[in-house]
């Protein structure tokens, strides 16, 4: 008993047993069997037409001329056509329409033949021509259905493999290296989240990378959306930074830092983008992406930059010359953060006084417009206020030295003050940065990361749409996803790649565009100096060593520590503890009262001279050992200094900001 495969009208295949005649080979005398087997799949439509003809003729003997039968048969025809249309909702639109037309035509002829007789008027001609046409249409449909057929049916078979068999597929749109296909899930039988879960399986079925298949949900429907399939990685070829996209332009105009996979420019409009989180593992191209952004920023005319770089210029040192203020220690970063807390409201007040709801390029110009004057009724002529970019590189170091929530308040208010906060770090987990701060950084530039870390940088809807930076890790330097306000949401889950860049470009930009970049405005400078004191006002001081001269001419004859000692004065009387300690006595002399408080004030002045404006008891460790005073005593003195206005509360437990002496900005 052999088995043949029979294909029905729906494309389903059935193995059926075929008994071979004894004494005949498979190759001999099988022409009739071959023709019969080939004709079998095409017989059902013709048998159906013949059956309708016989049924119509027989029914005329019973119901010919019956009005009641006419009403019943008409209602039955309409009902049967409607049921066919309803039952075909899970099939393709073409099959559903074809089936409904076939049923409607057959039931209409049957009703007419039963009431008037099969040989009345044009009924015989309609039966022969119409019946043959319908049967042939189903035969043609079957002939065109092949296992290799592409299109809607093959797409539905592919979706069936990933659990979306009942999904309806629309007309595909084919572009170079990109196919978009709209889909719709049956009502109540699935959501767009189910589609997101099926994307990895669909990518495997298509034999493309995991992030080559994405879906964009319809914002007005939980069951509709669009598949996007990009079969070839168009980002493999490195594109070197072509130079500033808008040299000398305003920072309010878009910057260009790379390309998307479809060739579109990777653009970011900074004032619209809100604050930015840059994240990527070691080797993912995060530093080159940062250089791209800084090259664009410092080639614009109306911007100043503050940079905190704990790596002390190892990667971004070429940007130092273009910045208004640079710090490279945890203490310096903490001081810059405290300065921002004062600078932001000062800038907000200036903008409000000049009639700006938020920063715009006109705010950077001299204020010669009476509509933007702080003196109502006449032009004020105030200097303009450039846009401020506050960049914290390797921010994890800063957060460890301060507090994981230290940026939250700044991020929530800085945008209206014309300030852009950039936090760059390898992993923005909850252990390193607070949830509130991360929520205040709605824009993100995410390079390759570990699979589990993508959730820290990208919104859930972007990940559900198919974005997967974990697929790159550090194997695709520069590959990224950019999520920011002002960018089409379709592009949020579209892979991009930043330009290949190097510090040479950054150094050239810093030098070449120095003449056109604005200097710091008096409001920002004054607010920063009120917090950082000499650490800000002396930031541009020449640090180069003095020229070497004859050491013998300048060698001091007295130790610098002894210059104030009068050699003729009598020695002071000995006090307890001045000599070697006796068992049970404290070693060395311990200052008390006003003397101890004076030493504490001198310590604050020393911190201020060294540029460390944020202090706490832990910073007095060596000082306490030297003067035999305890950290609790220092804590008490800091609280007393707060009452006197010598220090201010930073909002972080155990940290106080020194109020500097008034100095010119």
């Amino acid at each position: 008993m052999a088995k043949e495969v029979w294909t029905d009208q729906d494309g389903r295949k059935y193995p059926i047993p075929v008994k071979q005649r004894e004494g005949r080979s498979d190759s001999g005398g099988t022409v009739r069997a071959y023709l019969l087997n080939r004709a079998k799949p095409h017989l059902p439509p013709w048998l159906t037409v013949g059956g309708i003809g016989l049924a119509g003729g027989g029914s005329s003997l019973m119901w010919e001329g019956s009005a009641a039968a006419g009403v019943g048969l008409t209602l039955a025809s309409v009902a049967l056509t409607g049921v066919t249309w309803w039952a075909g909702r899970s099939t393709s639109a073409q099959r559903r329409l074809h089936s409904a037309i076939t049923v409607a035509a057959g039931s209409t002829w049957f009703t007419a033949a039963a009431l008037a007789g099969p040989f009345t008027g044009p009924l015989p001609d309609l039966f022969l021509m119409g019946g043959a046409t319908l049967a042939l249409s189903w035969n043609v449909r079957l002939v065109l259905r092949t296992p290799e057929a592409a299109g809607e049916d093959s797409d539905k078979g592919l979706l069936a493999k990933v659990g979306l068999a009942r999904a309806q597929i629309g007309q595909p749109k084919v572009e170079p290296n990109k196919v978009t296909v709209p889909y719709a899930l049956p009502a109540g039988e699935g959501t767009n989240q189910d589609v997101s879960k099926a994307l990895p399986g669909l990518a495997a079925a298509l034999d493309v990378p995991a992030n080559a298949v994405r879906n964009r949900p319809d914002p007005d429907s939980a069951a509709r959306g669009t598949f996007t399939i990009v079969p070839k990685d168009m980002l493999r070829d490195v594109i070197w930074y072509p130079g500033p996209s808008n040299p000398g332009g305003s920072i309010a105009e878009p910057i260009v830092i790379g390309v998307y996979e479809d060739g579109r420019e990777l653009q970011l409009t900074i004032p619209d983008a809100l604050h930015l989180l840059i994240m990527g593992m070691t080797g993912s191209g995060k530093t080159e992406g940062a250089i791209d952004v800084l090259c664009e920023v410092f080639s614009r005319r109306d911007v100043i930059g503050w940079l905190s770089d704990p790596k002390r210029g190892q990667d971004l040192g070429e940007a130092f010359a273009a910045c208004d203020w640079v710090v490279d220690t945890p203490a310096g970063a903490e001081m810059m953060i405290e300065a921002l807390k004062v600078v932001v409201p000062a800038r907000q007040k200036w903008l409000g006084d000049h009639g700006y709801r938020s920063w715009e390029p006109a705010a950077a110009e001299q204020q010669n417009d009476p509509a933007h004057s702080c003196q109502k009724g006449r032009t004020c002529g105030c200097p303009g206020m450039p846009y401020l970019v506050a960049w914290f590189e390797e921010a994890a170091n800063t957060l460890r030295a301060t507090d994981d929530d230290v940026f939250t308040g700044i991020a929530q208010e800085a945008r209206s003050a014309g300030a852009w906060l950039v936090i760059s770090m390898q992993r923005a987990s909850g252990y390193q940065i607070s949830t509130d701060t991360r929520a205040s950084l709605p824009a993100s530039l995410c390079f390759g990361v570990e699979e589990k870390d993508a959730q820290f940088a990208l919104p859930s809807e972007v990940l559900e749409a198919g974005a997967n930076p974990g697929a790159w890790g550090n194997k695709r330097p520069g590959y990224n996803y950019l999520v920011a306000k002002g960018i089409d949401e379709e592009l949020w889950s579209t892979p991009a790649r930043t330009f290949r860049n190097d510090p040479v470009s950054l150094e050239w930009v810093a030098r070449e565009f120095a003449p056109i970049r604005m200097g710091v405005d008096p409001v920002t400078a004054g607010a920063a100096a009120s917090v950082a004191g000499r650490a800000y006002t002396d930031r541009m001081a020449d640090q180069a060593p003095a020229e070497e001269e004859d050491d013998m001419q300048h060698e001091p004859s007295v130790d610098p520590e002894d210059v104030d000692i009068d050699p003729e004065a009598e020695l002071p009387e000995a006090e307890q503890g001045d000599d070697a300690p006796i068992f049970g006595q404290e070693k060395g002399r311990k200052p008390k009262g006003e003397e101890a408080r004076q030493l504490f004030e001198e310590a604050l002045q020393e911190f201020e001279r060294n540029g460390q404006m944020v202090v706490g008891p832990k910073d007095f460790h060596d000082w306490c050992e030297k003067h035999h005073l305890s950290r609790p005593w220092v804590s008490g003195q800091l609280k007393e200094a707060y009452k006197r206005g010598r220090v201010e509360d930073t909002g972080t437990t155990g940290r106080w900001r020194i109020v500097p002496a008034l100095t010119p900005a």
Side-chain angles (χ1 to χ4, degrees):
M1 186 76 69
K3 287 190 175 181
E4 297 287 345
V5 177
W6 176 69
T7 305
D8 67 5
Q9 293 293 318
D10 290 326
R12 292 185 289 265
K13 299 180 182 296
Y14 302 94
I16 57 176
V18 178
K19 185 176 181 179
Q20 295 181 349
R21 293 185 180 181
E22 296 180 358
R24 288 179 178 266
S25 66
D26 289 340
S27 59
T30 59
V31 174
R32 184 175 63 180
Y34 169 78
L35 294 176
L36 180 61
N37 287 332
R38 296 292 294 175
K40 281 180 181 178
H42 301 281
L43 290 178
W46 296 96
L47 295 176
T48 301
V49 170
I52 291 175
L54 293 176
S59 299
S60 67
L61 300 176
M62 181 180 300
W63 294 323
E64 186 173 0
S66 172
V71 173
L73 290 174
T74 301
L75 293 176
S77 298
V78 174
L80 184 60
T81 302
V83 168
T84 302
W85 180 260
W86 175 81
R89 70 189 188 282
S90 61
T91 64
S92 66
Q94 295 89 340
R95 178 176 290 277
R96 189 182 191 187
L97 182 63
H98 194 184
S99 301
I101 291 174
T102 301
V103 172
S107 60
T108 299
W109 187 90
F110 175 83
T111 300
L115 297 177
F119 300 105
T120 302
L123 289 180
D125 298 327
L126 290 175
F127 176 78
L128 294 175
M129 291 185 291
T133 300
L134 287 175
L136 284 172
S137 70
W138 283 101
N139 290 161
V140 170
R141 189 181 185 94
L142 180 61
V143 169
L144 295 179
R145 183 189 300 277
T146 63
E148 296 79 16
E152 182 174 322
D153 291 321
S154 61
D155 291 338
K156 290 181 68 64
L158 185 64
L159 292 178
K161 297 179 180 179
V162 295
L164 300 175
R166 296 177 62 81
Q168 299 297 307
I169 301 300
Q171 182 65 35
K173 180 181 179 181
V174 181
E175 304 174 66
N177 196 45
K178 183 179 179 181
V179 179
T180 54
V181 185
Y183 68 83
L185 302 176
E189 297 186 20
T191 66
N192 290 321
Q193 290 183 342
D194 299 321
V195 175
S196 298
K197 295 177 182 178
L199 292 180
L202 189 57
L206 293 170
D207 194 22
V208 295
N211 54 357
V213 180
R214 302 183 293 275
N215 77 302
R216 184 186 181 189
D218 187 335
D220 298 325
S221 173
R224 294 178 180 272
T226 303
F227 286 116
T228 300
I229 304 168
V230 181
K232 183 180 179 181
D233 184 2
M234 302 297 291
L235 300 175
R236 287 183 176 273
D237 296 334
V238 172
I239 301 178
W240 280 89
Y241 179 60
S245 61
N246 187 9
S250 173
I251 194 65
E253 298 166 2
I255 66 173
V256 180
I257 59 174
V259 294
Y260 286 102
E261 64 181 7
D262 58 2
R264 281 183 282 184
E265 293 181 335
L266 180 62
Q267 292 187 351
L268 177 66
T269 304
I270 289 177
D272 293 342
L274 304 179
H275 307 301
L276 179 68
L277 170 66
I278 301 180
M279 187 171 131
M281 65 191 304
T282 301
S284 65
K286 179 168 64 70
T287 298
E288 287 192 354
I291 293 176
D292 287 335
V293 176
L294 290 174
C295 281
E296 289 289 290
V297 166
F298 290 129
S299 66
R300 305 301 171 93
R301 67 177 185 272
D302 49 6
V303 61
I304 59 172
W306 287 4
L307 174 61
S308 170
D309 184 11
K311 299 179 75 172
R312 302 175 184 270
Q314 183 178 2
D315 294 327
L316 303 181
E318 286 71 19
F320 287 7
C323 293
D324 174 64
W325 188 16
V326 176
V327 295
D328 58 6
T329 64
E334 189 175 16
M335 180 172 52
M336 183 177 283
I337 292 169
E338 291 302 314
L340 281 171
K341 292 180 181 179
V342 177
V343 165
V344 165
R347 290 171 63 92
Q348 287 174 327
K349 184 178 185 306
W350 187 93
L351 290 169
D353 290 345
H354 288 81
Y356 296 103
R357 295 181 61 86
S358 60
W359 187 91
E360 57 186 75
E365 307 294 335
Q366 186 173 7
Q367 301 304 293
N368 295 324
D369 185 353
H372 293 292
S373 173
C374 60
Q375 300 177 12
K376 303 304 179 184
R378 65 188 184 90
T379 301
C380 64
C382 292
M385 175 178 285
Y387 197 81
L388 172 61
V389 174
W391 190 295
F392 289 84
E393 184 69 12
E394 296 297 340
N397 295 336
T398 300
L399 292 168
R400 281 195 297 269
T402 54
D403 181 43
D404 66 347
D405 200 32
V406 72
F407 291 113
T408 301
I410 300 171
Q412 292 172 348
E413 299 179 8
R415 179 175 181 268
S416 62
W420 190 46
L421 181 64
V422 181
I423 308 296
S424 177
M425 56 198 311
Q426 293 187 18
R427 188 172 185 266
S429 67
Y431 294 103
Q432 299 193 27
I433 187 170
S434 76
T435 303
D436 290 340
T437 297
R438 197 161 62 241
S440 301
L441 303 171
S444 60
L445 179 61
C446 183
F447 294 86
V449 296
E450 297 287 348
E451 290 274 0
K452 60 183 179 181
D453 291 342
Q455 59 182 316
F456 300 136
L458 297 176
S460 58
E461 62 267 24
V462 176
L463 296 174
E464 291 173 359
N468 184 14
W472 303 323
N474 56 8
K475 299 184 294 293
R476 298 282 189 271
Y479 281 50
N480 68 85
Y481 295 102
L482 178 60
V483 175
K485 183 180 178 182
I487 298 176
D488 187 352
E489 292 187 13
E490 179 187 1
L491 297 176
W492 289 5
S493 57
T494 301
R497 189 174 189 179
T498 52
F499 294 124
R500 177 69 61 84
N501 213 330
D502 56 30
V504 174
S505 298
L506 188 52
E507 182 182 19
W508 177 82
V509 168
R511 181 184 65 254
E512 187 72 15
F513 293 92
I516 68 168
R517 278 194 304 273
M518 291 183 64
V520 64
D521 58 285
V523 174
T524 302
S530 71
V531 173
R534 293 179 179 176
Y536 182 76
T537 57
D538 296 344
R539 67 197 185 282
M540 300 298 183
D542 185 10
Q543 301 298 326
E547 296 182 3
E548 295 184 3
E549 298 183 7
D550 188 354
D551 293 340
M552 295 300 294
Q553 295 179 0
H554 300 279
E555 182 179 354
S557 58
V558 180
D559 193 304
E561 295 181 359
D562 299 333
V563 293
D564 296 327
I565 297 178
D566 183 359
E568 303 298 329
E570 296 184 0
L571 294 175
E573 295 182 1
E575 297 186 21
Q576 182 179 359
D578 286 348
D579 298 327
I582 304 173
F583 179 75
Q585 287 185 339
E586 193 177 36
K587 181 178 180 180
R589 180 174 173 275
K590 178 178 180 180
K592 297 179 181 179
E594 186 60 30
E595 181 185 3
R597 287 190 290 271
Q598 180 61 33
L599 289 172
F600 176 77
E601 174 60 28
E602 292 175 0
L604 292 180
Q605 294 174 6
E606 181 67 21
F607 280 124
E608 185 176 350
R609 284 193 296 271
N610 294 335
Q612 184 173 346
M613 305 300 291
V614 180
V615 297
K618 66 180 182 179
D619 299 301
F620 287 82
H621 179 271
D622 294 340
W623 185 87
C624 287
E625 287 190 351
K626 177 180 178 181
H627 296 289
H628 313 292
L629 293 168
S630 66
R631 289 178 62 176
W633 183 87
V634 171
S635 296
Q637 289 302 307
L638 286 170
K639 293 178 181 178
E640 289 296 327
Y642 171 71
K643 294 177 182 179
R644 300 195 312 270
R646 186 67 176 92
V647 299
E648 290 186 355
D649 187 5
T650 65
T652 302
T653 304
R655 305 302 290 170
W656 305 87
R657 177 167 59 82
I658 300 173
V659 177
L662 293 178
T663 55

